[in-house]
Amino acid sequence: GQNIDQPTEMTATEGAIVQINCTYQTSGFNGLFWYQQHAGEAPTFLSYNVLDGLEEKGRFSSFLSRSKGYSYLLLKELQMKDSASYLCAQGDSNYQLIWGAGTKLIIKP
Amino acid sequence: DVKVTQSSRYLVKRTGEKVFLECVQDMDHENMFWYRQDPGLGLRLIYFSYDVKMKEKGDIPEGYSVSREKKERFSLILESASTNQTSMYLCASSLTYNEQFFGPGTRLTVL
């Protein structure tokens, strides 16, 4: 099967920048998604990349390199409310999503 | 805004009971999905549907069935609940094969 790998947990300081990496298998690739999930809540969509490069959306940016099977989510000017899990998901050739286990981001004052 | 609702936020059932989880979306989406989410395992697809009365097995369909009689409603059924089905169940819908919108989730405990 296809594996999505992302770190289990990261810690960062309020006001700082953090980069969450995600690697995936390149076969059957159909886009890369990032979702945010606060504890006890449903995932919410953050970004979608299908072409190489950086997509910026306010404090959040997402990068994709299709040749390397690599993506990252960049969060700037971290706020306490950014404490959440960040889920990386790959669209496959059947247009379903293959999900990583998520990265729990802890923000400290 | 897309709204996906699920019938219960929390549910406690006994082993062997039949359990119904209901999901309704109000944006006329063709595609609907049922996932379960367990710590350290990420989201795992149970079943999905691309049209009314149509269903496809996901990665972990054993012990579950689904029903989609109307476009807006997708039901997950646990025929005989077991303790290993204790989990968070998430329903999602999408218009295209891209962004999925999630319901708030049902945390099911089977005793």
Side-chain angles (χ1 to χ4, degrees), chain B residues 41-56:
Chain B
L41 294 180
L43 289 165
R44 292 183 291 167
L45 183 64
I46 305 171
Y47 268 96
F48 60 97
S49 170
Y50 288 152
D51 202 350
V52 175
K53 297 189 184 296
M54 179 273 185
K55 59 186 178 183
E56 293 287 340

Side-chain angles (χ1 to χ4, degrees), chain A residues 31-91:
Chain A
L32 197 290
F33 296 79
W34 285 97
Y35 281 74
Q36 180 190 59
Q37 185 177 25
H38 285 100
E41 298 182 10
T44 55
F45 172 81
L46 286 177
S47 68
Y48 171 64
N49 294 66
V50 67
L51 299 175
D52 290 349
L54 188 68
E55 297 269 350
E56 297 187 70
K57 193 186 294 185
R59 293 188 300 114
F60 291 9
S61 303
S62 56
F63 172 83
L64 178 68
S65 169
R66 288 174 295 170
S67 62
K68 295 181 179 178
Y70 168 69
S71 173
Y72 66 73
L73 181 69
L74 190 71
L75 292 75
K76 302 176 184 177
E77 301 169 17
L78 285 170
Q79 302 175 9
M80 296 304 292
K81 67 179 182 179
D82 298 330
S83 291
S85 288
Y86 291 86
L87 311 180
C88 175
Q90 174 189 349

Side-chain angles (χ1 to χ4, degrees), chain A residues 29-35 45-50 89-92 94-99, chain B residues 29-33 35 50 92-102:
Chain A
F29 177 77
N30 230 324
L32 197 290
F33 296 79
W34 285 97
Y35 281 74
F45 172 81
L46 286 177
S47 68
Y48 171 64
N49 294 66
V50 67
Q90 174 189 349
D92 71 3
N94 294 317
Y95 295 96
Q96 295 174 37
L97 294 183
I98 303 165
W99 296 85
Chain B
H29 285 176
E30 284 85 11
N31 311 312
M32 296 189 75
F33 307 84
Y35 294 95
Y50 288 152
S93 73
S94 71
L95 179 60
T96 64
Y97 297 114
N98 290 322
E99 181 184 353
Q100 293 184 13
F101 297 87
F102 286 84

Side-chain angles (χ1 to χ4, degrees), chain B:
Chain B
D1 285 348
V2 174
K3 192 168 184 181
V4 181
T5 57
Q6 295 183 227
S7 49
S8 305
R9 289 301 302 271
Y10 300 94
L11 207 54
V12 180
K13 294 292 182 181
R14 298 280 180 189
T15 300
E17 280 192 80
K18 191 169 186 176
V19 182
F20 293 88
L21 302 182
E22 302 282 338
C23 175
V24 178
Q25 51 94 4
D26 67 356
M27 286 301 292
D28 203 35
H29 285 176
E30 284 85 11
N31 311 312
M32 296 189 75
F33 307 84
W34 274 108
Y35 294 95
R36 64 178 283 177
Q37 186 176 33
D38 301 288
L41 294 180
L43 289 165
R44 292 183 291 167
L45 183 64
I46 305 171
Y47 268 96
F48 60 97
S49 170
Y50 288 152
D51 202 350
V52 175
K53 297 189 184 296
M54 179 273 185
K55 59 186 178 183
E56 293 287 340
K57 293 180 179 179
D59 299 321
I60 52 164
E62 296 78 20
Y64 304 94
S65 62
V66 290
S67 173
R68 193 164 182 202
E69 296 296 318
K70 294 185 178 181
K71 191 175 186 179
E72 67 271 18
R73 187 179 298 270
F74 192 34
S75 302
L76 180 69
I77 303 152
L78 287 67
E79 294 291 339
S80 177
S82 63
T83 55
N84 63 14
Q85 292 179 310
T86 292
S87 186
M88 170 69 88
Y89 289 88
L90 289 162
C91 174
S93 73
S94 71
L95 179 60
T96 64
Y97 297 114
N98 290 322
E99 181 184 353
Q100 293 184 13
F101 297 87
F102 286 84
T106 296
R107 187 167 293 282
L108 172 67
T109 301
V110 182
L111 301 176

